[in-house]
Amino acid sequence: QVQLVESGGGLVQAGGSLRVSCAASGGIFSTYNMAWFRQVPGKEREFVTAISWSGDYIYYVNSVKGRFTISRHNAKSTVYLQMNGLIPEDTAVYYCAAQYSGTYNQPTSVPQQYDYWGQGTQVTVSS
């Protein structure tokens, strides 16, 4: 059983930056693809970005390309999301998720294909 704990959310003005982290425990972190999703009330959970277990494959949703950067530190069992140039539309609860690489060698964008989830961290961007 893998436990994921997000941290680093908060309130930031438009144009600002924020870094959220997700610490994993209870499993072999380097065998999991990791992803960030986000959700606003009344909407479905949206894929934001993902990184493969090796770090070789990285994907972003078009709306965050050039502004967000995902990275991972396997020795620390942590995945990061650096968010720059934030806009009010980025306001959401951000969730990290883990996907076993034995099932999917490259990370996917489908929430149902992820095995473990964190509790989420709120990111609010004011205009």
Side-chain angles (χ1 to χ4, degrees), residues 27-66:
I28 303 176
F29 183 72
S30 60
T31 64
Y32 287 88
N33 302 321
M34 299 298 297
W36 289 95
F37 291 79
R38 63 188 180 187
Q39 190 169 25
V40 298
K43 292 192 175 182
E44 294 188 351
R45 196 162 293 191
E46 176 192 28
F47 171 80
V48 177
T49 179
I51 185 168
S52 63
W53 61 273
S54 63
D56 290 342
Y57 298 98
I58 293 177
Y59 304 104
Y60 297 97
V61 69
N62 285 340
S63 60
V64 308
K65 283 181 180 177

Side-chain angles (χ1 to χ4, degrees), residues 66-126:
R67 300 189 298 121
F68 290 12
T69 303
I70 189 172
S71 61
R72 65 187 297 158
H73 194 307
N74 283 348
K76 294 184 177 180
S77 297
T78 301
V79 62
Y80 305 97
L81 179 63
Q82 177 67 43
M83 300 181 286
N84 299 328
L86 284 160
I87 59 178
E89 289 76 16
D90 295 320
T91 296
V93 177
Y94 282 72
Y95 298 91
C96 72
Q99 178 186 68
Y100 181 53
S101 62
T103 306
Y104 299 96
N105 187 50
Q106 295 185 32
T108 65
S109 62
V110 180
Q112 292 78 5
Q113 294 173 348
Y114 281 78
D115 304 299
Y116 302 102
W117 292 85
Q119 82 288 349
T121 185
Q122 177 70 46
V123 172
T124 302
V125 184
S126 63

